[in-house]
């Protein structure tokens, strides 16, 4: 049994006083539900509903991230990605790509060409 349970109605951790689920409880839950990630999300979804009732002032998005959002991240990745989007190809690349494609023109059926 963990000491890192929620203290209601403020939803802090009984073991470390951080917002629940705290990092320790998250690790425990990941281990407990290692083969059942959907069940983990459903389990925490129930707590999310209770927390939303207890803390109506809290933004819904913040509560979702706190209770359920972290379950979709791999265990080693607990922060936002810093990946960048590749730059748009330069003008030369777009022009050379345009030359590689062949464009066929269709006869206009309304032009009267036989």
């Amino acid at each position: 049994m963990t000491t890192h349970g929620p203290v209601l109605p403020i939803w802090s951790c009984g073991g470390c006083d951080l917002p629940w689920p705290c990092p320790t409880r998250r690790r425990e839950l990941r281990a407990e539900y290692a083969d059942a990630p959907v069940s983990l999300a459903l389990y925490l979804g129930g707590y999310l509903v209770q927390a939303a009732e207890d803390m109506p002032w809290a933004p819904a998005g913040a509560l979702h991230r706190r209770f359920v959002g972290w379950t979709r991240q791999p265990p080693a990745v607990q922060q936002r990605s810093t990946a960048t989007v590749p730059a748009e190809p330069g003008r030369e690349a777009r022009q050379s790509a345009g030359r590689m494609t062949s464009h066929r023109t269709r006869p206009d059926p309304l032009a009267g060409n036989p």
Side-chain angles (χ1 to χ4, degrees):
M1 184 79 174
T2 185
T3 60
H4 292 272
V7 176
L8 305 179
I10 58 173
W11 291 90
S12 65
C13 176
C16 62
D17 208 31
L18 292 172
W20 193 89
C22 66
T24 300
R25 187 62 182 140
R26 288 179 182 191
R27 281 191 301 277
E28 292 172 350
L29 287 167
R30 277 198 193 277
E32 214 174 307
Y33 288 87
D35 296 326
V38 173
S39 295
L40 173 60
L42 290 171
Y43 173 73
L44 289 168
Y47 281 119
L48 169 63
V49 170
Q50 286 180 293
E53 291 172 358
D54 289 341
M55 300 183 292
W57 63 88
L63 287 176
H64 181 271
R65 283 187 299 277
R66 176 175 165 181
F67 285 88
V68 181
W70 63 270
T71 64
R72 296 188 53 134
Q73 297 174 344
V77 179
Q78 291 295 322
Q79 59 187 6
R80 293 183 184 251
S81 173
T82 58
T84 58
V85 177
E88 185 179 324
R91 181 177 172 187
E92 297 81 24
R94 286 193 305 268
Q95 287 176 340
S96 66
R99 285 191 294 264
M100 287 188 227
T101 59
S102 62
H103 298 283
R104 293 186 196 169
T105 57
R106 295 184 190 163
D108 185 357
L110 300 177
N113 295 339

